Amino acid sequence: MPRPALILTALLALSACRFDTYYAEGASIAARDRDQAQCQAEARRDLPVQLITRVTPRQFHPGIRQCDAAGTCTVSAPYWTGGQPYSIDLNEEARAGAETACMAARGYTLISLPACPQGTAVAASTTMAALSPETCLINRQNGALVVTP
């Protein structure tokens, strides 16, 4: 198994709180963010949101009969549950797959990394560093930052 694959396998076992990001060793973070924005736009253009409404299954709950020691019985009112509408995007999975394929064609791999501990020191860098067993991810509002402390 190649070394990066071993590192990724080890990282998968370390943490349950994980985040996904696109990664290419030595690639510019700005280029990755730009490429991802372009791939997302292409995927949205080719596979636009296609919402459909569905309804949760309905289930009948009959009344419950309860009797006391004297033999007096009462029956609670029957009722229905479910039937709530919800929407799903029929193209959501295909759009995510198209984005991943587009990024792969540009040399990136979708990886999953644990969240960095609070207060992790971050050295300023414009490129993605090599992965190590200590590599973690800071999930920024404008894109993920892969950190190797």
Side-chain angles (χ1 to χ4, degrees), residues 84-96:
Q84 290 82 21
Y86 65 97
S87 296
I88 61 167
D89 177 1
L90 293 177
N91 285 336
E92 185 174 15
E93 287 182 27
R95 196 169 40 255

Side-chain angles (χ1 to χ4, degrees), residues 22 32 34-47 94-110:
Y22 291 102
R32 186 265 327 259
R34 182 186 64 245
D35 288 342
Q36 185 172 4
Q38 290 172 349
C39 287
Q40 286 172 340
E42 288 175 22
R44 279 191 307 270
R45 181 195 67 222
D46 296 343
L47 297 156
R95 196 169 40 255
E99 178 186 336
T100 300
C102 176
M103 289 297 284
R106 295 173 185 224
Y108 300 92
T109 302
L110 184 62

Side-chain angles (χ1 to χ4, degrees), residues 14-102:
L14 291 177
S15 174
C17 185
R18 305 185 69 79
F19 297 96
D20 293 340
T21 190
Y22 291 102
Y23 174 82
E25 185 175 337
S28 158
I29 294 169
R32 186 265 327 259
D33 293 346
R34 182 186 64 245
D35 288 342
Q36 185 172 4
Q38 290 172 349
C39 287
Q40 286 172 340
E42 288 175 22
R44 279 191 307 270
R45 181 195 67 222
D46 296 343
L47 297 156
V49 173
Q50 186 178 353
L51 291 178
I52 63 166
T53 300
R54 294 198 172 155
V55 178
T56 59
R58 296 211 29 160
Q59 183 175 6
F60 179 72
H61 301 271
I64 297 174
R65 185 173 188 216
Q66 293 181 327
C67 300
D68 61 20
T72 305
C73 297
T74 60
V75 178
S76 63
Y79 62 97
W80 288 89
T81 58
Q84 290 82 21
Y86 65 97
S87 296
I88 61 167
D89 177 1
L90 293 177
N91 285 336
E92 185 174 15
E93 287 182 27
R95 196 169 40 255
E99 178 186 336
T100 300
C102 176

Side-chain angles (χ1 to χ4, degrees), residues 136-148:
C136 58
L137 190 132
I138 296 174
N139 200 14
R140 306 174 304 164
Q141 187 172 7
N142 62 337
L145 181 61
V146 175
V147 176
T148 302

